[in-house]
Amino acid sequence: MQKTYDGLSLVVRSLDLDIQRGEFLSLLGPSGSGKTTTLMMLAGFESPTAGEILLDGSPITRTPPHKRNFGMVFQNYALFPHLSVADNVAYPLTVRKVPKGDIATRVAKALDMVQLVGKGERLPGQLSGGQQQRVALARALVFEPQLVLMDEPLGALDKQLREHMQIELKELHRKLGVTFVYVTHDQGEALTMSDRVAVFNDGLIQQIAPVEQLYETPVNRFVAGFVGDSTLLTGTVGQADGDSCELVLPTGERLTGLNINRALPGTQVLASVRPERIEPCLVKPEALGNAVQAAVTDIIYFGDHLRLRCAVNGQAPATVKLPLAGGLQPVVGQAVWLHIPQPYLRIYH
Ligand code: ADP
Ligand code: MG
């Protein structure tokens, strides 16, 4: 599928997205990467310039939004301010001409689902931001849609409320078994809530994978940098041999890692490793190899782990995460060797 607004630049360049029934799929990417455009094409508010959208094998590309039976939640809630909470939630049922008696029952059930029992008579303006967002959610779910589309629905909430709502949304998804497609630019949010994440950049899906796979095996620099914390090293490729290659640092030190996208010997590369995979040692781990010399410049206590900042010659500062129960008691200024096990050093051209 493709989309251009002006006939010149493709804002969604090549989209091949297979959404599985019942999954929680997030579309994650920086601002302008094409997430909202993709969601609007799924909802039917925008049509693709090329390509088809299939639902259970049948094309719905030309089906208008109200006939797709998808629920939609927007960032700004989009509630009717002059209608009561109950009437807002009833709205999709009214337009679908559901009998009056059924409407009351279904609205009550939907309000119960989002923990707003007793708030039906209020106006949206009399509710907190989190409560208003739950009204929007009840309105999107009340007609039992097959698919619920959400565009940064928690963006307007403060951090604490947002984290609380993330857990509630996740629980609701599990209870209902409805398919959720959720747009966010927040990688933490995508990782905590989703079954799978599609990482967008520049109108292209860079990688779509279950959360753990995305975190452990990013397929390119962009995904490695955008999802989760990484320690980065720049250098050139030394010997390359199948799936692995040498990383030659500007200091002349050599490490071995995974050659993720077939970088050729002599080319400039970026290597990344998750901070929790790095093992700091006080003496050079000769037997293990794959270590780079560093000095501890800062130690931050995080409650469940320590985070070290280390200076590495010719490189940006390296972050290392250490469990509190670890044997090493680092001090600022200490010289250390950072051992990076070969399977965790991912090298990208
Ligand atoms: P995201 O939701 O990832 O921030 P969008 O899908 O909103 O990205 O935007 C992708 C690109 O399309 C951006 O360059 C944006 O400026 C452009 N764009 C979005 N909506 C329109 C529109 N209605 N008309 C023209 N250009 C648009
Ligand atoms: Mg957007």
Side-chain angles (χ1 to χ4, degrees):
M1 198 161 71
Q2 287 187 342
K3 176 70 177 177
T4 173
Y5 287 107
D6 57 8
L8 297 172
S9 59
L10 289 172
V11 300
V12 173
R13 290 202 276 167
S14 167
L15 183 74
D16 189 357
L17 180 62
D18 200 359
I19 303 167
Q20 287 156 20
R21 187 187 300 275
E23 78 171 323
F24 195 130
L25 173 71
S26 287
L27 313 184
L28 170 70
S31 173
S33 58
K35 308 180 297 292
T36 294
T37 302
T38 300
L39 204 71
M40 287 301 161
M41 290 193 288
L42 289 174
F45 295 112
E46 291 288 347
S47 48
T49 318
E52 288 277 13
I53 302 171
L54 305 178
L55 180 66
D56 296 330
S58 313
I60 55 160
T61 320
R62 310 276 162 241
T63 308
H66 63 278
K67 296 216 170 123
R68 294 192 186 190
N69 216 35
F70 297 164
M72 183 94 201
V73 183
F74 301 93
Q75 175 166 2
N76 56 4
Y77 322 139
L79 299 175
F80 302 113
H82 56 287
L83 293 186
S84 70
V85 165
D87 288 343
N88 265 281
V89 176
Y91 184 77
L93 301 176
T94 315
V95 298
R96 285 173 174 76
K97 307 218 169 11
V98 173
K100 272 231 162 66
D102 293 354
I103 291 186
T105 325
R106 287 171 69 173
V107 167
K109 196 174 141 212
L111 287 178
D112 181 31
M113 197 158 62
V114 297
Q115 295 162 35
L116 285 176
V117 173
K119 303 281 195 290
E121 296 316 310
R122 302 226 187 148
L123 290 174
Q126 296 169 315
L127 300 179
S128 71
Q131 289 172 327
Q132 290 183 43
Q133 193 52 295
R134 282 187 281 173
V135 177
L137 195 62
R139 189 179 58 181
L141 293 168
V142 72
F143 58 99
E144 297 177 358
Q146 289 175 276
L147 178 65
V148 180
L149 304 169
M150 289 177 272
D151 195 354
E152 313 240 10
L154 308 182
L157 306 179
D158 64 46
K159 184 170 164 1
Q160 209 178 349
L161 193 52
R162 200 162 64 228
E163 286 173 358
H164 174 73
M165 286 292 295
Q166 286 169 7
I167 296 165
E168 287 199 359
L169 268 178
K170 182 79 196 148
E171 268 180 24
L172 203 56
H173 172 259
R174 197 168 36 78
K175 259 198 290 202
L176 298 177
V178 177
T179 313
F180 277 18
V181 178
Y182 187 96
V183 164
T184 180
H185 65 271
D186 180 335
Q187 53 98 14
E189 186 162 292
L191 291 181
T192 44
M193 298 175 77
S194 321
D195 298 314
R196 288 196 307 158
V197 177
V199 181
F200 278 65
N201 191 36
D202 229 357
L204 284 176
I205 293 183
Q206 305 286 320
Q207 184 169 6
I208 177 165
V211 165
E212 190 188 335
Q213 197 181 328
L214 192 71
Y215 183 83
E216 296 294 348
T217 58
V219 296
N220 61 34
R221 287 182 186 219
F222 179 80
V223 178
F226 197 74
V227 179
D229 292 337
S230 296
T231 281
L232 304 174
L233 298 168
T234 54
T236 56
V237 176
Q239 276 182 29
D241 175 20
D243 290 341
S244 67
C245 70
E246 271 184 327
L247 172 71
V248 185
L249 301 178
T251 52
E253 290 167 292
R254 282 165 190 264
L255 301 172
T256 311
L258 300 180
N259 192 354
I260 301 304
N261 33 31
R262 297 171 205 281
L264 297 173
T267 53
Q268 282 286 335
V269 282
L270 183 73
S272 75
V273 56
R274 297 300 183 193
E276 63 275 18
R277 298 296 185 183
I278 302 176
E279 298 159 3
C281 313
L282 295 182
V283 290
K284 191 172 183 188
E286 299 282 4
L288 299 171
N290 246 34
V292 58
Q293 201 165 3
V296 178
T297 56
D298 203 4
I299 302 172
I300 308 162
Y301 178 78
F302 263 86
D304 58 341
H305 71 277
L306 290 180
R307 203 167 297 191
L308 313 185
R309 296 264 284 177
C310 299
V312 179
N313 256 336
Q315 303 288 343
T319 304
V320 178
K321 282 189 203 170
L322 269 190
L324 283 186
L328 191 72
Q329 305 276 315
V331 291
V332 169
Q334 201 164 33
V336 286
W337 274 265
L338 303 180
H339 172 236
I340 307 173
Q342 183 261 356
Y344 299 118
L345 184 65
R346 301 179 66 81
I347 297 169
Y348 305 97
H349 66 55

